[in-house]
Amino acid sequence: MAATSADSQNSQVRVRLTTRDADLVLEDNAPILIPTSFRRYALSTLVNSLLKSEKSVPLEFLINGKYLRTTIDEYLTENGLSPETTLTVEYARARIPPQYVTSFEHDDWVSDVDVLSGQSPRILSASYDGLLRVWNTSAQVLVTSPGRAHGGHGSFIKSAKFVSPDQIVSGSFDRTLRLWRYTEDQDGFSASLTPQLELYGHKSSVDSVCPHSGSGRILSASSDHSVGLWSTRKSDAPAAPEALVPRARTKDGKRRKLSETTLSQRGPLALMQQHTGPVSGAIFDSNDATVGYSSSWDQTVRTWDLVTASLVDTRPISSALLSIEHMPSLHLIAAGSISRVIKLIDPRVSAATVAAMTLKGHKNSVVSLARDPTNEYTLVSGSHDGTCRVWDVRSTQQEKEGAVGQSLYTLPRASLEGKPSPAVGDGVKVFAVCWHKEVGILSTGEDKVVQINRGNDQT
Amino acid sequence: MGESKKRKAVTKDVEEDAAIVSGDEFDFGQLDGSLSDDDSASGSDAESLTSGAEDDSDAVSIGSDEVPWEEKVESGLLTSKQDGGSVTVDIGAGENDAPGKDQEAEKSEDETPNYRIVKDANGNDRYEYDEIDPGEDSDYSVPDGEANTIGDIPLSFYDSYPHIGYNINGKKIMRPAKGEALDALLESIEIPKGWTGLSDPSTGKPLQLSQQELELLKKVQMNEVATDGYDPYEPTVEWFTSKTETMPLTSAPEPKRRFVPSKHEAKRVMKIVQAIREGRILPYKPPKEEEAEEDEVPNYDIWADEQPRPDHAMHMPAPKLPPPGFDESYHPPPEYLPDKKEKEEWEKREEEDREKDYLPTDYSSLRKVPGYGRFLKEKFERCLDLYLAPRVRRTKLNIDPESLLPKLPSPDELRPFPTHEAGRFHGHKGRVRSLAIDPSGQYLASGGDDGTVRVWTLMPQREVWSVSVGPENAVNVVRWRPGKDTPILAACAGDDIYLCVPRLGTDAGPEAEAAQAVLDAGWGYAASESNTPKSSLVKWSRPSSTQREQGVAIVIHLGHTAKTLSFHSSGNHFVTICPATTVPASQAIAIHTVSKHQTQLPFRKRLKGGGSPQVAHFHPSKPILFVANQRVIRAYDLSKQSLLKIIQPGARWISSFDVHPTSSSTAGSDNLIVGSYDRRLLWMDLDLSPRPYKTLRFHEKAIRTVRFHPATNRYPLFADGSDDGSIQVFHGQVTSDMMSNAQIVPLKVLRGHKVTGGLGVMDLDWHPQHPWLVSAGGDGTCRLWVS
């Protein structure tokens, strides 16, 4: 035994080190010989010394799409590789599993969360009690949106996003979108939220909104099988369709306007109705505000030309889709489905294969996706099984149905206090995730909290 | 007999009288004679005398009817006075006959009287005559004194008497004693010649047969000619010779050479013997040697003296010889020895299945070999083989049980189908009795024991609307009206049906208004047609104001608890059934028309056979109503108002059934699935047979609900829910080909619902567009199952 261990310590393997991070590229790309007894840490110090950087960067190493968690020798024997072959080792910045930081308590289920970057980030949460709340990072509510009687939503808010630092858009189960003016006091401890515009057009619940601040456009996804395109400016927006504006019936049967508050009502710029099922998500292309993508229960991802409001492309997937996210640098669309997987789709017309990759691991429907603001290869998903998972699309393996990825980390709900997750995530379903550079991973759910997880590298 | 004696006496009296006292008799004879010749008359008299007593008695017996007349004669003169006229005649006649009389008197005086005078019972004289001997040459047969005189009467009439008849003298012929057993034995020992063992029926004595009679009987028995003197063995008379002789036989003596051994033959034998002795003849051929040819091929042993060499590509080592030795040896080569695994396998196997019945074992020396353990057993079995019977080895049939299963496609090929739970709907207190997904596929309606109807969004599972129809009334059914534009929910609770327009999102959306309009349209119709004969039992009324606030539009008061409700695909009609046995038969099944606010009770009488009605469904495309009672489903043609078909699934109590949504348009016939409380799920092909095409019995408890997927073209699925808390999902493809039957493949058992109070899954519904399933449980939750 002693002889063999000595042998393995002596034996060396030829390694070619590569990376996809531009700032970590080695000048000399020739293969080097390293002892097979090396682990991740030894490799990391080796690469750091080769990089000659002042501050050492913790690195992770990927061999054939798998993170190195053992010695190289063990890896070789496990995969039946000869030590004579040249290994291609990809390295990337190491990620520490995001740790639970804090929770923001709500009165009802929290349906959506968004973060406004700034000097001090502001957190916007939308809740099933029909109210929007803006928080600072120290869990203080800066402002709560007015209720129904004062121009608020008539029902649950399903989605809410910051359009700009002073504007918020929200979509609700009451079939409307609302634009809010958000102004913050100088001291930063109180703010005001006033409804600005009421947008009518959808005939059913508005499940998702996605604003694009530069162009002043909003995409909305609704259960009435349509994708709405809206303007954030009152002047741009066309008049609201008469039929959809609610009117109260007086005793003599005539219709009369319901709301006392004079809130402007506007209609959509365009309604794209090619979907045959409820639309679960609609997003803008990150690089091009004239292109939109939407996912739907009808098992398709559709690409829209927003200038002409016309359908460009339809990508069929084998199961109903519940969430969508764009990964611009990889030209991929990530779509979470009811069949518990995340499909990565190449939306370009030239793409040969529809589903580039499948990310497996969730135990229930994947209802929310958010990409890593710092790393184009990672994304986080929120699922009805009560967990969020962080994925690295580089870590894949070839399986029967194509490339399959495993999750890096699983973030359980803090509200469970360490108890095992209940079956089908009953009571702790995650409804939305958001990944912010500074705040970290925010997730909301059935347990009525916004949970913040943060990795140590995010400060 | 006494009468005949008396008569005899009377006749003799007459003769005597005639001879002595008067000639009355003769008068009479004279009278008779006046009719014939005198001579003949007298002659006849004489003859009668000579013929004797027998003749007399005979004549008397013939004229027995003359008895009173004879008595008159006997009584003498008194009687003659009475017949005065005749007396005078008699006298004259007497005088004429007198000489004849005298002659007779003289004759009798010569001979001794042939009678004796005895006293009879009255003390009068009585003449007893001797028997008249007819003589040897008489024509009369001599009656045997002991002959039985009973004539043709069967002897059996006397069976109960000690006698068997009477002889000629009227004496009883006593039944001859049968003899004691000893007598019978003695008789049987000394069988006299001609003994038959029979008794003569006329005398009752043993019947004896003469030698001649016995021979005759024998002949009859042998089926021979029974006549006397027939000889069956008469010598043949050769009228013609039977032989044809060609040559006469010689009588020359045998020649000597026939008895003396042949010298020539002896000479020839000696020649051979000599040749053998000299060796000229060999008795056997010496075998030829033919090995020379094989020696032509030379053999080279290239490994004869091989030294061990290092490995080299060109080096060819000697081929491995088969290991020497024999694994039955006490010291077999180690390669024969089984390793631990083989040993275990050998020991695990059945004795009959083992390839060899020993295990190679190694002993360092022969003296360490223990006694052969199986010796006794082997000998015993050998003995059994020898003296009992050859015992046949049991031959095992190695059939793979998998191969016996029918070839069905793998469930993986039939995806998608619901495989896992995606969410739960919490909120109902008490069990959820019914649920339904709305036609748009976004909302789920449910109703339960807590008397509330709730509407949820399918994903996430959030309650968006609820109405309480009274905590005391459990909601039995909730069903959406077909049609995407008008969300109308029908719910049965208590004795009422509620038609509601749920508030989904906003208070008054355009579709909610449309739905309200659909429901309100009937008020006007009902008002204008109020004079039409409507069942007064069912009343369509407006709800109370609080209920109207909540969204209830119409309350139909049915009067009985409806347990099932089913909409027609057009949405204008729905049928409800009140299955309780107390409901009058005419009110159990009701068809409601939404647009007219009208209720029809189409059935006047209880359906025959199978208890109260249970479920009813409209055909998805044809005007047919299916009504199921406990055992039979009937299909009624609504346009002709006639019974179309009777379907007998063979279930004891049908709980639910569903009509295949499209099979009648694609395959030409309707397909039904029927669930029953006796745990069976039955697939019925109505054109194939009134009996089930397939019976699926996989549940442990009663099946409550069965449901086809509404979009069967895309998802040919159906599912059932059972009291055991499980849902079973099946693939049920109906082909358009008329020749092939539906293909049914069990796909998945979905478990999750807890069984509470003996109730597991209460109701099921499929998502209209997706292969998703919702189920209502007795545990108070609804669950969503997705692919």
Side-chain angles (χ1 to χ4, degrees):
Chain A
M1 276 311 274
T4 54
S5 67
D7 207 33
S8 70
Q9 272 165 12
N10 295 337
S11 70
Q12 291 192 319
V13 66
R14 198 178 297 272
V15 162
R16 186 190 300 275
L17 290 161
T18 61
T19 185
R20 296 192 222 184
D21 289 341
D23 54 335
L24 294 176
V25 175
L26 290 168
E27 289 155 12
D28 182 19
N29 205 14
I32 53 167
L33 275 172
I34 55 161
T36 55
S37 57
F38 268 28
R39 286 175 177 275
R40 183 201 69 83
Y41 182 73
L43 272 172
S44 181
T45 46
L46 173 81
V47 174
N48 270 310
S49 66
L50 286 172
L51 283 169
K52 301 184 188 78
S53 55
E54 304 93 50
K55 195 185 164 197
S56 72
V57 184
L59 296 170
E60 283 279 8
F61 295 87
L62 283 146
I63 309 175
N64 288 337
K66 267 186 105 172
Y67 277 93
L68 184 67
R69 294 278 180 254
T70 57
T71 64
I72 293 177
D73 187 48
E74 279 162 7
Y75 173 82
L76 292 175
T77 48
E78 193 179 304
N79 292 278
L81 293 172
S82 158
E84 290 168 15
T85 55
T86 304
L87 280 180
T88 306
V89 175
E90 185 182 340
Y91 59 90
R93 279 176 209 276
R95 310 199 145 268
I96 288 89
Q99 297 300 311
Y100 169 67
V101 179
T102 181
S103 288
F104 297 175
E105 304 275 343
H106 287 69
D107 297 335
D108 205 341
W109 299 0
V110 189
S111 57
D112 202 2
V113 67
D114 194 22
V115 180
L116 173 68
S117 306
Q119 284 178 336
S120 58
R122 295 284 176 260
I123 296 161
L124 167 70
S125 69
S127 170
Y128 270 80
D129 56 6
L131 301 177
L132 295 171
R133 291 177 180 83
V134 181
W135 310 69
N136 62 12
T137 45
S138 42
Q140 282 170 313
V141 181
L142 297 185
V143 66
T144 304
S145 72
R148 188 179 187 176
H150 305 95
H153 276 297
S155 186
F156 330 132
I157 301 176
K158 298 292 281 289
S159 179
K161 292 277 188 289
F162 278 108
V163 181
S164 60
D166 56 356
Q167 201 170 30
I168 289 169
V169 63
S170 65
S172 160
F173 187 70
D174 66 1
R175 306 166 188 205
T176 60
L177 282 82
R178 238 163 254 249
L179 281 165
W180 307 80
R181 175 168 300 283
Y182 174 69
T183 48
E184 206 169 300
D185 292 350
Q186 289 296 324
D187 56 0
F189 289 105
S190 63
S192 71
L193 200 58
T194 48
Q196 214 176 3
L197 266 184
E198 213 175 355
L199 299 175
Y200 286 92
H202 282 303
K203 296 196 184 79
S204 187
S205 160
V206 180
D207 289 339
S208 166
V209 291
C210 178
H212 191 270
S213 55
S215 62
R217 293 284 182 270
I218 300 163
L219 274 178
S220 68
S222 164
S223 298
D224 64 354
H225 307 188
S226 65
V227 177
L229 180 65
W230 315 79
S231 170
T232 56
R233 284 179 291 274
K234 198 173 175 179
S235 51
D236 285 1
E242 271 301 303
L244 295 174
V245 179
R247 277 149 217 287
R249 225 181 266 203
T250 50
K251 275 175 192 168
D252 52 349
K254 278 186 183 174
R255 287 172 165 200
R256 196 166 53 83
K257 272 201 170 182
L258 180 68
S259 53
E260 291 85 27
T261 54
T262 52
L263 189 59
S264 307
Q265 289 152 347
R266 289 293 181 269
L269 291 172
L271 269 183
M272 294 165 281
Q273 295 177 315
Q274 276 87 343
H275 273 297
T276 56
V279 186
S280 53
I283 51 163
F284 285 99
D285 188 294
S286 306
N287 305 324
D288 186 355
T290 62
V291 176
Y293 304 106
S294 65
S295 64
S296 163
W297 287 21
D298 66 1
Q299 312 185 349
T300 58
V301 168
R302 291 183 201 244
T303 310
W304 307 93
D305 179 18
L306 299 179
V307 179
T308 57
S310 59
L311 178 66
V312 175
D313 190 30
T314 303
R315 296 273 153 164
I317 312 293
S318 58
S319 61
L321 302 174
L322 301 176
S323 54
I324 189 165
E325 180 61 289
H326 188 224
M327 304 186 77
S329 59
L330 301 172
H331 306 290
L332 286 178
I333 296 283
S337 81
I338 200 163
S339 60
R340 303 180 281 192
V341 297
I342 302 161
K343 294 268 185 189
L344 296 181
I345 303 142
D346 196 333
R348 292 172 294 182
V349 181
S350 58
T353 52
V354 173
M357 204 184 289
T358 309
L359 304 179
K360 281 185 177 176
H362 275 300
K363 295 184 181 106
N364 208 341
S365 324
V366 183
V367 291
S368 180
L369 289 166
R371 61 175 181 260
D372 187 350
T374 57
N375 186 337
E376 63 261 43
Y377 298 103
T378 47
L379 76 159
V380 64
S381 67
S383 161
H384 275 177
D385 64 1
T387 61
C388 298
R389 280 171 198 255
V390 180
W391 311 80
D392 190 325
V393 298
R394 290 169 297 193
S395 163
T396 58
Q397 279 180 313
Q398 282 300 319
E399 279 185 20
K400 192 171 58 183
E401 61 263 57
V404 169
Q406 302 285 329
S407 61
L408 287 180
Y409 315 113
T410 303
L411 312 177
R413 297 304 285 174
S415 57
L416 283 174
E417 292 163 350
K419 280 178 285 191
S421 185
V424 294
D426 213 17
V428 289
K429 292 188 182 81
V430 176
F431 291 147
V433 288
C434 175
W435 199 336
H436 191 260
K437 200 184 281 181
E438 292 156 33
V439 182
I441 297 170
L442 297 91
S443 55
T444 68
E446 209 177 353
D447 51 0
K448 305 178 184 176
V449 296
V450 173
Q451 180 180 333
I452 299 177
N453 287 58
R454 195 183 302 150
N456 284 353
D457 52 340
Q458 294 165 332
T459 48
Chain B
M1 201 46 86
E3 209 175 55
S4 74
K5 272 181 183 171
K6 201 181 170 184
R7 254 178 261 151
K8 272 179 200 163
V10 165
T11 49
K12 278 154 195 172
D13 276 347
V14 168
E15 278 179 354
E16 184 196 39
D17 284 343
I20 300 158
V21 184
S22 69
D24 272 357
E25 175 87 277
F26 299 100
D27 291 344
F28 180 64
Q30 195 58 44
L31 199 66
D32 250 356
S34 66
L35 296 170
S36 60
D37 273 18
D38 284 342
D39 291 345
S40 72
S42 62
S44 78
D45 265 353
E47 206 175 75
S48 71
L49 282 170
T50 51
S51 64
E54 183 58 39
D55 186 27
D56 191 7
S57 75
D58 210 356
V60 168
S61 69
I62 289 163
S64 61
D65 51 338
E66 292 164 21
V67 170
W69 184 80
E70 282 164 347
E71 276 175 348
K72 184 177 68 190
V73 173
E74 214 174 345
S75 58
L77 289 170
L78 276 173
T79 51
S80 63
K81 276 176 193 165
Q82 276 174 353
D83 300 339
S86 68
V87 170
T88 53
V89 173
D90 278 353
I91 291 158
E95 285 170 359
N96 290 342
D97 250 359
K101 187 79 185 170
D102 289 343
Q103 280 171 8
E104 255 186 23
E106 284 167 13
K107 241 188 221 175
S108 59
E109 276 168 19
D110 292 339
E111 288 164 23
T112 54
N114 60 344
Y115 59 86
R116 298 177 303 275
I117 298 168
V118 292
K119 292 278 180 192
D120 68 357
N122 298 326
N124 299 329
D125 286 341
R126 182 174 172 166
Y127 301 90
E128 272 191 3
Y129 295 88
D130 292 332
E131 294 291 325
I132 300 162
D133 187 15
E136 277 307 310
D137 51 354
S138 165
D139 239 2
Y140 292 101
S141 60
V142 182
D144 185 1
E146 287 302 303
N148 199 344
T149 58
I150 57 168
D152 278 345
I153 293 168
L155 205 60
S156 57
F157 281 24
Y158 289 92
D159 279 354
S160 55
Y161 297 104
H163 57 282
I164 54 166
Y166 301 91
N167 64 10
I168 196 79
N169 292 322
K171 295 268 173 57
K172 280 179 185 169
I173 301 171
M174 300 309 291
R175 192 181 297 276
K178 282 276 157 81
E180 295 296 324
L182 190 60
D183 294 343
L185 181 67
L186 286 172
E187 263 179 22
S188 69
I189 289 165
E190 303 173 350
I191 299 170
K193 194 73 177 169
W195 180 84
T196 56
L198 302 168
S199 53
D200 191 356
S202 58
T203 59
K205 287 178 178 164
L207 185 68
Q208 298 279 344
L209 293 177
S210 66
Q211 182 61 33
Q212 213 176 356
E213 285 169 325
L214 282 172
E215 269 172 11
L216 197 67
L217 275 175
K218 201 183 256 177
K219 274 184 182 167
V220 170
Q221 273 184 331
M222 302 295 285
N223 222 2
E224 286 169 359
V225 180
T227 50
D228 214 4
Y230 172 75
D231 182 7
Y233 306 111
E234 272 180 70
T236 48
V237 179
E238 290 225 329
W239 302 106
F240 307 99
T241 174
S242 58
K243 292 172 198 158
T244 47
E245 291 172 356
T246 50
M247 272 220 274
L249 292 167
T250 63
S251 56
E254 289 269 284
K256 188 189 174 185
R257 67 175 177 276
R258 296 208 182 146
F259 309 101
V260 181
S262 164
K263 279 182 185 165
H264 173 71
E265 278 181 4
K267 230 184 211 171
R268 290 192 64 181
V269 169
M270 278 313 293
K271 246 184 187 172
I272 295 168
V273 168
Q274 216 156 5
I276 289 172
R277 279 188 187 148
E278 287 169 12
R280 279 183 286 124
I281 296 175
L282 290 172
Y284 304 108
K285 223 179 202 175
K288 271 187 187 170
E289 286 160 9
E290 295 176 353
E291 293 161 10
E293 289 168 39
E294 284 176 18
D295 288 337
E296 299 295 313
V297 181
N299 285 333
Y300 302 102
D301 188 4
I302 59 168
W303 296 293
D305 45 2
E306 195 196 26
Q307 302 299 319
R309 268 197 270 179
D311 265 1
H312 190 266
M314 292 304 289
H315 171 235
M316 195 191 296
K320 268 188 185 163
L321 291 173
F326 187 51
D327 61 357
E328 271 185 294
S329 160
Y330 75 93
H331 186 54
E335 55 264 41
Y336 279 114
L337 289 172
D339 59 11
K340 208 173 180 183
K341 210 170 136 196
E342 285 172 334
K343 213 172 193 170
E344 256 173 37
E345 202 184 338
W346 186 86
E347 275 162 1
K348 229 195 290 173
R349 284 190 121 171
E350 288 265 323
E351 210 165 302
E352 285 168 351
D353 295 344
R354 287 172 184 167
E355 274 175 30
K356 24 185 194 183
D357 51 359
Y358 58 87
L359 204 59
T361 331
D362 189 21
Y363 302 102
S364 54
S365 69
L366 192 54
R367 71 187 154 80
K368 289 184 180 165
V369 177
Y372 184 46
R374 288 173 46 81
F375 180 80
L376 265 183
K377 191 165 195 273
E378 253 174 29
K379 295 298 146 199
F380 175 70
E381 281 185 351
R382 176 69 185 146
C383 289
L384 285 183
D385 279 347
L386 288 175
Y387 89 93
L388 279 182
R391 284 160 302 128
V392 179
R393 285 241 160 148
R394 187 163 58 93
T395 50
K396 266 195 179 173
L397 280 178
N398 284 322
I399 298 173
D400 185 14
E402 292 291 315
S403 68
L404 295 174
L405 293 172
K407 279 189 179 55
L408 288 176
S410 139
D412 281 343
E413 296 166 18
L414 303 172
R415 282 179 194 281
F417 54 84
T419 51
H420 62 271
E421 190 182 339
R424 288 178 196 172
F425 301 84
H426 292 285
H428 274 292
K429 294 172 192 72
R431 50 179 90 104
V432 187
R433 292 201 175 215
S434 179
L435 47 59
I437 296 185
D438 85 310
S440 73
Q442 293 176 51
Y443 302 106
L444 172 77
S446 65
D449 273 1
D450 55 357
T452 58
V453 179
R454 292 166 200 247
V455 175
W456 316 72
T457 53
L458 207 57
M459 196 167 297
Q461 294 79 29
R462 173 82 187 194
E463 184 183 318
V464 294
W465 181 80
S466 82
V467 64
S468 173
V469 291
E472 70 278 6
N473 292 329
V475 179
N476 286 313
V477 205
V478 288
R479 290 288 177 267
W480 291 91
R481 176 178 178 267
K484 285 183 185 180
D485 303 329
T486 51
I488 295 173
L489 187 64
C492 298
D495 293 349
D496 300 325
I497 304 168
Y498 298 86
L499 296 178
C500 319
V501 182
R503 309 254 185 276
L504 303 170
T506 56
D507 286 342
E511 76 277 355
E513 280 172 20
Q516 193 72 42
V518 164
L519 291 177
D520 288 345
W523 294 122
Y525 184 90
S528 65
E529 302 283 319
S530 57
N531 50 351
T532 53
K534 261 206 307 188
S535 174
S536 57
L537 299 162
V538 181
K539 227 174 106 188
W540 293 58
S541 56
R542 291 177 197 272
S544 65
S545 60
T546 50
Q547 280 179 329
R548 194 180 306 163
E549 292 275 302
Q550 288 176 301
V552 179
I554 297 172
V555 178
I556 307 169
H557 184 72
L558 209 54
H560 304 284
T561 309
K563 294 270 182 176
T564 63
L565 186 151
S566 178
F567 267 99
H568 186 255
S569 55
S570 72
N572 197 21
H573 303 278
F574 61 95
V575 58
T576 54
I577 285 197
C578 312
T581 46
T582 51
V583 179
S586 60
Q587 294 171 36
I589 305 169
I591 297 178
H592 311 266
T593 310
V594 174
S595 63
K596 295 180 183 174
H597 288 197
Q598 198 179 341
T599 298
Q600 291 161 293
L601 302 168
F603 294 96
R604 236 169 282 130
K605 281 185 269 176
R606 177 81 74 199
L607 304 178
K608 269 177 243 151
S612 55
Q614 300 289 314
V615 203
H617 288 296
F618 287 102
H619 189 282
S621 52
K622 295 179 197 162
I624 295 173
L625 176 69
F626 294 94
V627 181
N629 58 14
Q630 286 175 9
R631 282 192 291 279
V632 183
I633 303 174
R634 287 175 167 80
Y636 295 94
D637 192 324
L638 292 175
S639 56
K640 291 179 193 159
Q641 306 204 328
S642 61
L643 179 65
L644 207 62
K645 217 165 226 170
I646 297 177
I647 306 145
Q648 293 170 317
R652 261 180 250 144
W653 194 328
I654 295 169
S655 62
S656 55
F657 74 94
D658 199 10
V659 189
H660 194 284
T662 56
S663 68
S664 64
S665 51
T666 58
S669 81
D670 284 314
N671 287 271
L672 254 68
I673 44 171
V674 181
S676 76
Y677 290 114
D678 52 342
R679 295 176 296 168
R680 277 184 284 182
L681 175 63
L682 307 137
W683 179 289
M684 314 283 305
D685 190 332
L686 297 201
D687 270 8
L688 195 70
S689 156
R691 302 251 156 220
Y693 159 61
K694 272 256 156 71
T695 302
L696 308 161
R697 191 183 267 176
F698 301 132
H699 278 293
E700 290 161 16
K701 284 187 182 165
I703 293 176
R704 289 247 161 218
T705 171
V706 290
R707 207 56 95 82
F708 273 115
H709 195 288
T712 33
N713 292 336
R714 275 185 81 191
Y715 305 111
L717 300 169
F718 63 98
D720 64 348
S722 163
D723 277 353
D724 61 10
S726 69
I727 304 159
Q728 288 177 355
V729 184
F730 298 88
H731 170 91
Q733 179 88 55
V734 179
T735 52
S736 55
D737 179 12
M738 292 290 274
M739 296 307 292
S740 55
N741 286 322
Q743 188 187 37
I744 298 166
V745 185
L747 292 178
K748 182 85 184 167
V749 182
L750 301 171
R751 293 180 204 281
H753 278 293
K754 284 185 208 77
V755 180
T756 37
L759 295 168
V761 180
M762 303 284 285
D763 198 9
L764 284 180
D765 199 13
W766 287 95
H767 191 280
Q769 288 102 30
H770 292 280
W772 303 344
L773 195 65
V774 284
S775 60
D779 54 358
T781 64
C782 304
R783 290 171 198 233
L784 170 68
W785 309 86
V786 301
S787 60

